[in-house]
Amino acid sequence: MLRIVIVEPETLTLLGFKTAISQSPDIEVTGDATSGKLGFQLIEQTNPDVVLVDLLLPDMSGLELTR
């Protein structure tokens, strides 16, 4: 099973991603965050296979988080 973390500040967009991804039986959303700081902590805790990151986060650039 593929484990995904989503880092997205917009609530409706986050809900849309989670709903779409949950349709696949082979993919699990292991967590979500609305800021870079929370996303970084979540990534360290869950060690996902994939992280879906918005580039325009409220506290840092999505590129910074990706590094």
Side-chain angles (χ1 to χ4, degrees), residues 26-59:
D26 298 330
I27 302 174
E28 174 189 11
V29 177
T30 58
D32 59 76
T34 57
S35 71
K37 182 179 178 181
L38 294 173
F40 185 77
Q41 292 171 351
L42 184 61
I43 292 164
E44 284 190 323
Q45 292 171 358
T46 61
N47 194 27
D49 300 309
V50 175
V51 180
L52 181 62
V53 181
D54 189 315
L55 293 179
L56 302 173
L57 298 171
D59 57 345

mmCIF file of all heavy atoms in Angstrom, residues 26-59:
data_model
loop_
_atom_site.group_PDB
_atom_site.id
_atom_site.type_symbol
_atom_site.label_atom_id
_atom_site.label_comp_id
_atom_site.label_asym_id
_atom_site.label_seq_id
_atom_site.Cartn_x
_atom_site.Cartn_y
_atom_site.Cartn_z
ATOM 1 N N ASP A 26 -5.414 0.994 -3.070
ATOM 2 C CA ASP A 26 -3.974 0.784 -2.912
ATOM 3 C C ASP A 26 -3.243 1.994 -2.333
ATOM 4 O O ASP A 26 -2.025 1.974 -2.204
ATOM 5 C CB ASP A 26 -3.337 0.423 -4.254
ATOM 6 C CG ASP A 26 -3.886 -0.867 -4.820
ATOM 7 O OD1 ASP A 26 -4.277 -1.741 -4.022
ATOM 8 O OD2 ASP A 26 -3.935 -0.996 -6.054
ATOM 9 N N ILE A 27 -3.992 3.056 -2.011
ATOM 10 C CA ILE A 27 -3.378 4.278 -1.505
ATOM 11 C C ILE A 27 -4.046 4.666 -0.188
ATOM 12 O O ILE A 27 -5.271 4.656 -0.074
ATOM 13 C CB ILE A 27 -3.518 5.436 -2.512
ATOM 14 C CG1 ILE A 27 -2.889 5.061 -3.855
ATOM 15 C CG2 ILE A 27 -2.869 6.700 -1.966
ATOM 16 C CD1 ILE A 27 -3.115 6.094 -4.945
ATOM 17 N N GLU A 28 -3.228 5.042 0.793
ATOM 18 C CA GLU A 28 -3.737 5.464 2.090
ATOM 19 C C GLU A 28 -3.186 6.844 2.424
ATOM 20 O O GLU A 28 -1.979 7.069 2.336
ATOM 21 C CB GLU A 28 -3.287 4.472 3.162
ATOM 22 C CG GLU A 28 -3.637 4.888 4.562
ATOM 23 C CD GLU A 28 -3.004 4.000 5.615
ATOM 24 O OE1 GLU A 28 -2.131 3.176 5.289
ATOM 25 O OE2 GLU A 28 -3.390 4.147 6.775
ATOM 26 N N VAL A 29 -4.068 7.767 2.795
ATOM 27 C CA VAL A 29 -3.631 9.076 3.273
ATOM 28 C C VAL A 29 -3.319 8.904 4.756
ATOM 29 O O VAL A 29 -4.211 8.699 5.574
ATOM 30 C CB VAL A 29 -4.709 10.157 3.058
ATOM 31 C CG1 VAL A 29 -4.244 11.488 3.635
ATOM 32 C CG2 VAL A 29 -5.034 10.309 1.581
ATOM 33 N N THR A 30 -2.040 8.957 5.095
ATOM 34 C CA THR A 30 -1.625 8.722 6.478
ATOM 35 C C THR A 30 -1.709 9.974 7.324
ATOM 36 O O THR A 30 -1.594 9.895 8.545
ATOM 37 C CB THR A 30 -0.198 8.147 6.552
ATOM 38 O OG1 THR A 30 0.691 9.050 5.908
ATOM 39 C CG2 THR A 30 -0.124 6.803 5.881
ATOM 40 N N GLY A 31 -1.895 11.140 6.691
ATOM 41 C CA GLY A 31 -2.042 12.370 7.442
ATOM 42 C C GLY A 31 -2.104 13.572 6.531
ATOM 43 O O GLY A 31 -1.819 13.477 5.339
ATOM 44 N N ASP A 32 -2.514 14.693 7.108
ATOM 45 C CA ASP A 32 -2.557 15.936 6.353
ATOM 46 C C ASP A 32 -2.200 17.092 7.273
ATOM 47 O O ASP A 32 -2.350 16.996 8.491
ATOM 48 C CB ASP A 32 -3.927 16.147 5.712
ATOM 49 C CG ASP A 32 -5.048 16.178 6.732
ATOM 50 O OD1 ASP A 32 -5.188 17.204 7.423
ATOM 51 O OD2 ASP A 32 -5.785 15.189 6.836
ATOM 52 N N ALA A 33 -1.706 18.155 6.675
ATOM 53 C CA ALA A 33 -1.302 19.339 7.427
ATOM 54 C C ALA A 33 -1.636 20.579 6.614
ATOM 55 O O ALA A 33 -1.703 20.529 5.383
ATOM 56 C CB ALA A 33 0.191 19.289 7.720
ATOM 57 N N THR A 34 -1.834 21.694 7.318
ATOM 58 C CA THR A 34 -2.185 22.946 6.651
ATOM 59 C C THR A 34 -1.050 23.965 6.654
ATOM 60 O O THR A 34 -1.225 25.073 6.183
ATOM 61 C CB THR A 34 -3.425 23.572 7.324
ATOM 62 O OG1 THR A 34 -3.145 23.756 8.713
ATOM 63 C CG2 THR A 34 -4.649 22.687 7.136
ATOM 64 N N SER A 35 0.109 23.585 7.175
ATOM 65 C CA SER A 35 1.268 24.488 7.161
ATOM 66 C C SER A 35 2.538 23.669 6.983
ATOM 67 O O SER A 35 2.546 22.451 7.192
ATOM 68 C CB SER A 35 1.350 25.286 8.470
ATOM 69 O OG SER A 35 1.720 24.448 9.542
ATOM 70 N N GLY A 36 3.610 24.356 6.633
ATOM 71 C CA GLY A 36 4.883 23.680 6.436
ATOM 72 C C GLY A 36 5.431 23.074 7.714
ATOM 73 O O GLY A 36 5.942 21.955 7.717
ATOM 74 N N LYS A 37 5.318 23.817 8.810
ATOM 75 C CA LYS A 37 5.832 23.330 10.085
ATOM 76 C C LYS A 37 5.109 22.054 10.520
ATOM 77 O O LYS A 37 5.738 21.068 10.900
ATOM 78 C CB LYS A 37 5.688 24.410 11.158
ATOM 79 C CG LYS A 37 6.244 24.009 12.498
ATOM 80 C CD LYS A 37 6.107 25.123 13.515
ATOM 81 C CE LYS A 37 6.634 24.662 14.864
ATOM 82 N NZ LYS A 37 6.493 25.705 15.884
ATOM 83 N N LEU A 38 3.789 22.065 10.457
ATOM 84 C CA LEU A 38 3.010 20.873 10.809
ATOM 85 C C LEU A 38 3.285 19.735 9.828
ATOM 86 O O LEU A 38 3.364 18.570 10.221
ATOM 87 C CB LEU A 38 1.517 21.197 10.837
ATOM 88 C CG LEU A 38 1.056 22.159 11.916
ATOM 89 C CD1 LEU A 38 -0.416 22.515 11.717
ATOM 90 C CD2 LEU A 38 1.293 21.575 13.287
ATOM 91 N N GLY A 39 3.428 20.084 8.558
ATOM 92 C CA GLY A 39 3.728 19.075 7.546
ATOM 93 C C GLY A 39 5.057 18.400 7.804
ATOM 94 O O GLY A 39 5.176 17.176 7.707
ATOM 95 N N PHE A 40 6.070 19.193 8.157
ATOM 96 C CA PHE A 40 7.393 18.637 8.438
ATOM 97 C C PHE A 40 7.330 17.656 9.611
ATOM 98 O O PHE A 40 7.884 16.553 9.545
ATOM 99 C CB PHE A 40 8.384 19.766 8.740
ATOM 100 C CG PHE A 40 9.786 19.291 8.911
ATOM 101 C CD1 PHE A 40 10.552 18.962 7.813
ATOM 102 C CD2 PHE A 40 10.337 19.163 10.173
ATOM 103 C CE1 PHE A 40 11.859 18.503 7.967
ATOM 104 C CE2 PHE A 40 11.635 18.709 10.346
ATOM 105 C CZ PHE A 40 12.396 18.378 9.236
ATOM 106 N N GLN A 41 6.631 18.035 10.674
ATOM 107 C CA GLN A 41 6.488 17.150 11.839
ATOM 108 C C GLN A 41 5.767 15.867 11.460
ATOM 109 O O GLN A 41 6.158 14.771 11.868
ATOM 110 C CB GLN A 41 5.734 17.868 12.958
ATOM 111 C CG GLN A 41 6.503 19.013 13.563
ATOM 112 C CD GLN A 41 5.662 19.853 14.509
ATOM 113 O OE1 GLN A 41 4.446 19.686 14.594
ATOM 114 N NE2 GLN A 41 6.312 20.759 15.211
ATOM 115 N N LEU A 42 4.715 15.992 10.667
ATOM 116 C CA LEU A 42 3.938 14.829 10.250
ATOM 117 C C LEU A 42 4.762 13.886 9.373
ATOM 118 O O LEU A 42 4.708 12.667 9.526
ATOM 119 C CB LEU A 42 2.683 15.293 9.503
ATOM 120 C CG LEU A 42 1.695 14.229 9.076
ATOM 121 C CD1 LEU A 42 1.151 13.477 10.297
ATOM 122 C CD2 LEU A 42 0.553 14.859 8.304
ATOM 123 N N ILE A 43 5.551 14.461 8.486
ATOM 124 C CA ILE A 43 6.402 13.651 7.605
ATOM 125 C C ILE A 43 7.428 12.873 8.427
ATOM 126 O O ILE A 43 7.656 11.685 8.184
ATOM 127 C CB ILE A 43 7.090 14.545 6.547
ATOM 128 C CG1 ILE A 43 6.050 15.091 5.571
ATOM 129 C CG2 ILE A 43 8.177 13.774 5.812
ATOM 130 C CD1 ILE A 43 6.530 16.259 4.743
ATOM 131 N N GLU A 44 8.016 13.526 9.409
ATOM 132 C CA GLU A 44 8.987 12.833 10.270
ATOM 133 C C GLU A 44 8.331 11.712 11.069
ATOM 134 O O GLU A 44 8.927 10.654 11.266
ATOM 135 C CB GLU A 44 9.651 13.820 11.224
ATOM 136 C CG GLU A 44 10.698 14.675 10.563
ATOM 137 C CD GLU A 44 11.503 15.459 11.583
ATOM 138 O OE1 GLU A 44 10.934 15.919 12.601
ATOM 139 O OE2 GLU A 44 12.709 15.596 11.350
ATOM 140 N N GLN A 45 7.108 11.920 11.516
ATOM 141 C CA GLN A 45 6.411 10.924 12.331
ATOM 142 C C GLN A 45 5.932 9.727 11.520
ATOM 143 O O GLN A 45 6.000 8.599 11.993
ATOM 144 C CB GLN A 45 5.204 11.550 13.029
ATOM 145 C CG GLN A 45 5.541 12.545 14.090
ATOM 146 C CD GLN A 45 4.303 13.283 14.587
ATOM 147 O OE1 GLN A 45 3.194 13.063 14.096
ATOM 148 N NE2 GLN A 45 4.498 14.162 15.544
ATOM 149 N N THR A 46 5.423 9.964 10.317
ATOM 150 C CA THR A 46 4.773 8.892 9.554
ATOM 151 C C THR A 46 5.654 8.254 8.483
ATOM 152 O O THR A 46 5.335 7.167 8.020
ATOM 153 C CB THR A 46 3.479 9.404 8.891
ATOM 154 O OG1 THR A 46 3.808 10.459 7.977
ATOM 155 C CG2 THR A 46 2.489 9.900 9.937
ATOM 156 N N ASN A 47 6.714 8.946 8.057
ATOM 157 C CA ASN A 47 7.614 8.436 7.014
ATOM 158 C C ASN A 47 6.837 7.898 5.801
ATOM 159 O O ASN A 47 6.924 6.723 5.455
ATOM 160 C CB ASN A 47 8.534 7.356 7.598
ATOM 161 C CG ASN A 47 9.685 7.047 6.677
ATOM 162 O OD1 ASN A 47 10.104 7.891 5.898
ATOM 163 N ND2 ASN A 47 10.190 5.835 6.764
ATOM 164 N N PRO A 48 6.082 8.768 5.123
ATOM 165 C CA PRO A 48 5.251 8.330 3.993
ATOM 166 C C PRO A 48 6.079 8.007 2.755
ATOM 167 O O PRO A 48 7.249 8.376 2.657
ATOM 168 C CB PRO A 48 4.355 9.540 3.738
ATOM 169 C CG PRO A 48 5.208 10.691 4.139
ATOM 170 C CD PRO A 48 5.991 10.203 5.332
ATOM 171 N N ASP A 49 5.448 7.344 1.799
ATOM 172 C CA ASP A 49 6.094 7.050 0.519
ATOM 173 C C ASP A 49 6.069 8.275 -0.398
ATOM 174 O O ASP A 49 6.987 8.495 -1.179
ATOM 175 C CB ASP A 49 5.371 5.893 -0.179
ATOM 176 C CG ASP A 49 5.398 4.625 0.648
ATOM 177 O OD1 ASP A 49 6.500 4.228 1.082
ATOM 178 O OD2 ASP A 49 4.327 4.038 0.880
ATOM 179 N N VAL A 50 4.988 9.062 -0.304
ATOM 180 C CA VAL A 50 4.788 10.235 -1.167
ATOM 181 C C VAL A 50 4.249 11.381 -0.318
ATOM 182 O O VAL A 50 3.434 11.159 0.582
ATOM 183 C CB VAL A 50 3.772 9.927 -2.300
ATOM 184 C CG1 VAL A 50 3.460 11.158 -3.118
ATOM 185 C CG2 VAL A 50 4.273 8.808 -3.184
ATOM 186 N N VAL A 51 4.709 12.606 -0.618
ATOM 187 C CA VAL A 51 4.167 13.799 0.031
ATOM 188 C C VAL A 51 3.655 14.724 -1.062
ATOM 189 O O VAL A 51 4.404 15.103 -1.959
ATOM 190 C CB VAL A 51 5.228 14.521 0.891
ATOM 191 C CG1 VAL A 51 4.625 15.753 1.544
ATOM 192 C CG2 VAL A 51 5.806 13.586 1.934
ATOM 193 N N LEU A 52 2.381 15.071 -0.988
ATOM 194 C CA LEU A 52 1.761 16.009 -1.917
ATOM 195 C C LEU A 52 1.799 17.379 -1.245
ATOM 196 O O LEU A 52 1.161 17.577 -0.210
ATOM 197 C CB LEU A 52 0.324 15.580 -2.216
ATOM 198 C CG LEU A 52 -0.482 16.414 -3.181
ATOM 199 C CD1 LEU A 52 0.166 16.406 -4.557
ATOM 200 C CD2 LEU A 52 -1.900 15.892 -3.265
ATOM 201 N N VAL A 53 2.578 18.317 -1.813
ATOM 202 C CA VAL A 53 2.839 19.602 -1.148
ATOM 203 C C VAL A 53 2.387 20.763 -2.034
ATOM 204 O O VAL A 53 2.772 20.860 -3.200
ATOM 205 C CB VAL A 53 4.350 19.765 -0.844
ATOM 206 C CG1 VAL A 53 4.616 21.090 -0.143
ATOM 207 C CG2 VAL A 53 4.868 18.612 -0.024
ATOM 208 N N ASP A 54 1.626 21.673 -1.443
ATOM 209 C CA ASP A 54 1.285 22.930 -2.102
ATOM 210 C C ASP A 54 2.533 23.820 -2.073
ATOM 211 O O ASP A 54 3.250 23.850 -1.072
ATOM 212 C CB ASP A 54 0.142 23.616 -1.355
ATOM 213 C CG ASP A 54 -0.413 24.812 -2.102
ATOM 214 O OD1 ASP A 54 0.378 25.633 -2.607
ATOM 215 O OD2 ASP A 54 -1.637 24.941 -2.174
ATOM 216 N N LEU A 55 2.806 24.534 -3.133
ATOM 217 C CA LEU A 55 3.989 25.394 -3.166
ATOM 218 C C LEU A 55 3.815 26.673 -2.359
ATOM 219 O O LEU A 55 4.791 27.272 -1.923
ATOM 220 C CB LEU A 55 4.345 25.743 -4.612
ATOM 221 C CG LEU A 55 4.832 24.575 -5.468
ATOM 222 C CD1 LEU A 55 5.118 25.041 -6.882
ATOM 223 C CD2 LEU A 55 6.052 23.933 -4.857
ATOM 224 N N LEU A 56 2.573 27.103 -2.142
ATOM 225 C CA LEU A 56 2.310 28.358 -1.440
ATOM 226 C C LEU A 56 1.726 28.077 -0.059
ATOM 227 O O LEU A 56 0.533 28.217 0.172
ATOM 228 C CB LEU A 56 1.358 29.236 -2.258
ATOM 229 C CG LEU A 56 1.848 29.591 -3.659
ATOM 230 C CD1 LEU A 56 0.764 30.317 -4.431
ATOM 231 C CD2 LEU A 56 3.104 30.420 -3.582
ATOM 232 N N LEU A 57 2.574 27.719 0.883
ATOM 233 C CA LEU A 57 2.152 27.465 2.248
ATOM 234 C C LEU A 57 2.209 28.769 3.042
ATOM 235 O O LEU A 57 2.978 29.672 2.699
ATOM 236 C CB LEU A 57 3.051 26.405 2.890
ATOM 237 C CG LEU A 57 3.019 25.040 2.202
ATOM 238 C CD1 LEU A 57 4.096 24.125 2.782
ATOM 239 C CD2 LEU A 57 1.651 24.397 2.335
ATOM 240 N N PRO A 58 1.438 28.885 4.124
ATOM 241 C CA PRO A 58 1.398 30.158 4.863
ATOM 242 C C PRO A 58 2.690 30.503 5.608
ATOM 243 O O PRO A 58 2.987 31.674 5.795
ATOM 244 C CB PRO A 58 0.251 29.965 5.854
ATOM 245 C CG PRO A 58 0.060 28.503 5.961
ATOM 246 C CD PRO A 58 0.499 27.914 4.649
ATOM 247 N N ASP A 59 3.466 29.509 6.000
ATOM 248 C CA ASP A 59 4.648 29.798 6.815
ATOM 249 C C ASP A 59 5.979 29.550 6.118
ATOM 250 O O ASP A 59 7.018 29.951 6.616
ATOM 251 C CB ASP A 59 4.604 28.998 8.122
ATOM 252 C CG ASP A 59 4.496 27.499 7.890
ATOM 253 O OD1 ASP A 59 4.176 27.082 6.766
ATOM 254 O OD2 ASP A 59 4.715 26.747 8.851
#
